[in-house]
Amino acid sequence: MILTFWGKLFLPAATGKVLASELPKNGNERCTVLYPASEKASNEIEEGLSNRGFEVVRLNTYTTEPVHNVDQTVLKQALSTPVVAVASPSAVRSWVKIISESEQWSNSVACIGETTASAAKRLGLRNVYYPTHPGLEGWVDSILEALGAHERI
């Protein structure tokens, strides 16, 4: 679904919930969806599709593992950076685990989209930036916005 108002283009949010609610279905015919996902991904998409009558076959095609040990020199550099860019909730969780073991960190996080930003906020990060519409271009804009805010401080 693409909407236009007063010559401006508006796209719906690119989240699992929206995808599950907007994936076209051909009438009442049985429709099977193969859903390749991370082993750690939520059930939001498959539950949303199942609730709409799709038969969902989830295939866990990969997983992510957090880093357990970070070189102290690298960690010190990372903690001093004004903006950390993250592309998944698991990346946010790993970052928070790493920084919780060191001093208080209050710089900015630029997230690829709303789902990742929500995870960052739930985990207590305060300076969270993310695009209205997920994707590489919006993510770069969020990184630049976070850097700009840092320079004004």
Side-chain angles (χ1 to χ4, degrees), residues 131-151:
T132 306
H133 307 292
L136 187 57
E137 186 177 324
W139 191 19
V140 170
D141 290 343
S142 294
I143 294 167
L144 294 174
E145 181 183 359
L147 285 168
H150 177 76
E151 289 174 4

Side-chain angles (χ1 to χ4, degrees), residues 34-114:
L34 175 62
Y35 172 47
S38 163
E39 187 176 286
K40 294 182 179 185
S42 74
N43 296 330
E44 189 173 63
I45 291 175
E46 62 188 301
E47 288 175 2
L49 291 172
S50 293
N51 290 341
R52 291 186 48 224
F54 286 91
E55 179 181 336
V56 181
V57 177
R58 179 175 175 146
L59 180 60
N60 291 330
T61 56
Y62 70 97
T63 191
T64 56
E65 294 297 324
V67 172
H68 297 288
N69 208 355
V70 178
D71 179 273
Q72 290 303 304
T73 304
V74 173
L75 179 58
K76 188 174 180 179
Q77 290 173 332
L79 290 170
S80 68
T81 191
V83 179
V84 171
V86 290
S88 69
S90 61
V92 173
R93 286 189 296 274
S94 292
W95 176 247
V96 168
K97 184 176 182 214
I98 287 170
I99 64 174
S100 69
E101 296 170 359
S102 62
E103 68 232 31
Q104 181 65 27
W105 186 82
S106 61
N107 288 349
S108 298
V109 178
C111 301
I112 196 165
E114 181 180 355

Side-chain angles (χ1 to χ4, degrees), residues 4 10 16 26 54 122 143 153:
T4 57
F10 294 91
N26 190 12
F54 286 91
R122 272 194 315 277
I143 294 167
I153 295 175

